[in-house]
Amino acid sequence: MIIRPRRLRTSEAMRQLVAQTHVSVSDLVYPMFVVEGQGIKAEISSMPDVYHFSIDTLLLECESVVQCGIQAVLLFGVIPQAKKDAIGSMAYQSDAIVAKAIDAIKQKFPKLLVIADVCLCEYTDHGHCGIVKHDKILNDPTVPLLAKTALCYAKAGADVVAPSDMMDGRVQAIREALDQDGFEDVLIMSYSAKYASAFYGPFREAAGSAPIFGDRKTYQMDYRNQDEAVKEVLLDIQEGADIVMVKPAGAYLDIITRIADTVNMPVAAYQVSGEYAMLKAAAQNGWIDEQKAVVESIYAIKRAGAKIILTYYAKQLAQWLKDV
Ligand code: PBG
């Protein structure tokens, strides 16, 4: 007798019946870039269909985000080089671009979850995620500035703050700062296992945040390591993280699985700019079917164990997931 695994694949209905992995639009987070100005919707050249928005056009985009059924957006601020300084002051001023955007979104769409990325690299003139002295990225002087940034975004109405800097001890400092000011309900989604990755290339163009010297290898993780991811995640949980993230996603599915198997809290994974750009470029050349390849990539991330998926494809996926 032949054993026939193919029986479970005989029809569409049968395949649906036995499918083990499901992705819903409520799993997705849509990252957006906000700039100063009016009426701006400028496409990012390395990320087709991804834009810099001024706050007015950002609100229009949020309208369609909400209509798609997406529940959460992630905000990044982008400022001109001339406004940057050594300590990233524009990240945490009360009129910081991200703070203004959060406030505007929350007034118009109070139910849309707003996650604010917390980092200094978009605001420092050297492009590093922390304070620099003699070409060294200093940990401890950076942490209070990150806490200040997180508090600034919480005050503006952020539901979640998401530190993406990889400094040691920042989750604890952020939790304490939030609690002291009465923001105990603001969540921390920590970029816990964030690898030093070439897949962030297009983002650095989008955010103007490429470091002017060196790289991020003294703070972001070495892609040869797995145990370190577990250590970082457990530390962040101990320090008060509510959601832990693995980043990038596609080349790190083993890490997602290991973390999901280890912790008892929501795991997020970020399909980053380089993953997006690769899919987009191949699709634009007619080399892959964009919808099918993107949907497959997202199912892989979900199957690996991520509950939450951050992706620049979120809006299109809201449509495409209906066809699965
Ligand atoms: C800021 C930050 C980066 C990303 C998210 N937050 C860039 C970096 O670490 O250089 C990458 C996002 C993407 O590539 O889509 N630290």
Side-chain angles (χ1 to χ4, degrees):
M1 190 194 61
I2 304 185
I3 309 283
R4 296 187 189 277
R6 287 185 56 188
R7 261 188 225 116
L8 291 172
R9 306 174 206 137
T10 44
S11 67
E12 180 59 29
M14 185 56 69
R15 291 191 292 275
Q16 292 284 5
L17 189 68
V18 299
Q20 287 186 289
T21 308
H22 300 281
V23 180
S24 143
V25 66
S26 56
D27 299 329
L28 306 177
V29 176
Y30 184 48
M32 297 200 289
F33 298 95
V34 57
V35 296
E36 292 282 2
Q38 268 275 319
I40 298 168
K41 184 179 177 186
E43 193 174 49
I44 295 158
S45 61
S46 53
M47 300 173 74
D49 295 332
V50 178
Y51 300 88
H52 286 147
F53 292 104
S54 49
I55 291 177
D56 55 333
T57 57
L58 186 80
L59 291 176
L60 295 176
E61 182 75 354
C62 285
E63 183 96 53
S64 79
V65 164
V66 169
Q67 266 164 21
C68 286
I70 292 169
Q71 324 254 13
V73 295
L74 170 67
L75 294 184
F76 294 101
V78 184
I79 63 168
Q81 192 64 32
K83 290 202 166 178
K84 300 182 183 183
D85 62 21
I87 54 172
S89 310
M90 297 296 280
Y92 41 81
Q93 292 187 347
S94 57
D95 66 342
I97 179 69
V98 168
K100 288 192 287 187
I102 296 165
D103 180 55
I105 294 175
K106 276 297 175 185
Q107 287 197 30
K108 202 145 181 231
F109 308 100
K111 286 197 204 143
L112 181 63
L113 292 174
V114 178
I115 308 173
D117 186 272
V118 172
C119 197
L120 299 184
C121 62
E122 298 98 330
Y123 307 96
T124 51
D125 50 14
H126 44 71
H128 277 290
C129 305
I131 299 299
V132 173
K133 198 171 176 190
H134 305 312
D135 284 4
K136 207 176 155 208
I137 291 74
L138 303 181
N139 194 88
D140 297 6
T142 301
V143 168
L145 299 182
L146 294 165
K148 204 168 164 180
T149 307
L151 187 58
C152 169
Y153 300 163
K155 282 181 180 160
D159 299 284
V160 183
V161 290
S164 67
D165 52 282
M166 289 299 278
M167 297 299 132
D168 295 335
R170 91 275 212 215
V171 172
Q172 182 176 334
I174 290 172
R175 189 68 270 160
E176 281 170 6
L178 294 176
D179 290 355
Q180 261 169 28
D181 249 70
F183 293 105
E184 61 276 349
D185 287 341
V186 171
L187 284 85
I188 299 177
M189 176 170 78
S190 182
Y191 289 72
S192 302
K194 177 173 178 179
Y195 285 86
S197 170
F199 291 105
Y200 308 148
F203 174 93
R204 290 180 191 168
E205 188 201 315
S209 66
I212 56 168
F213 69 89
D215 52 40
R216 303 210 201 285
K217 288 184 182 168
T218 67
Y219 41 110
Q220 299 180 351
M221 286 173 37
D222 185 327
Y223 54 71
R224 293 171 294 190
N225 298 341
Q226 295 163 324
D227 292 344
E228 219 180 353
V230 177
K231 177 162 75 183
E232 286 280 7
V233 162
L234 293 179
L235 263 175
D236 281 0
I237 294 172
Q238 204 181 314
E239 291 182 26
D242 302 285
I243 299 169
V244 292
M245 194 202 296
V246 175
K247 178 184 176 200
Y252 295 82
L253 296 176
D254 57 326
I255 306 297
I256 296 173
T257 301
R258 176 124 177 233
I259 298 304
D261 287 347
T262 307
V263 305
N264 55 359
M265 58 202 311
V267 175
Y270 198 144
Q271 183 177 53
V272 299
S273 56
E275 300 176 69
Y276 176 84
M278 286 195 303
L279 287 160
K280 203 62 171 179
Q284 288 187 340
N285 274 295
W287 295 335
I288 55 169
D289 179 317
E290 186 174 27
Q291 175 171 346
K292 287 186 178 142
V294 170
V295 168
E296 186 175 331
S297 73
I298 295 297
Y299 268 81
I301 296 166
K302 187 82 193 271
R303 191 186 64 229
K307 169 58 186 76
I308 301 163
I309 302 169
L310 299 94
T311 172
Y312 301 98
Y313 272 116
K315 266 180 71 186
Q316 274 158 300
L317 280 163
Q319 298 305 316
W320 291 344
L321 289 173
K322 293 177 187 157
D323 301 338
V324 177

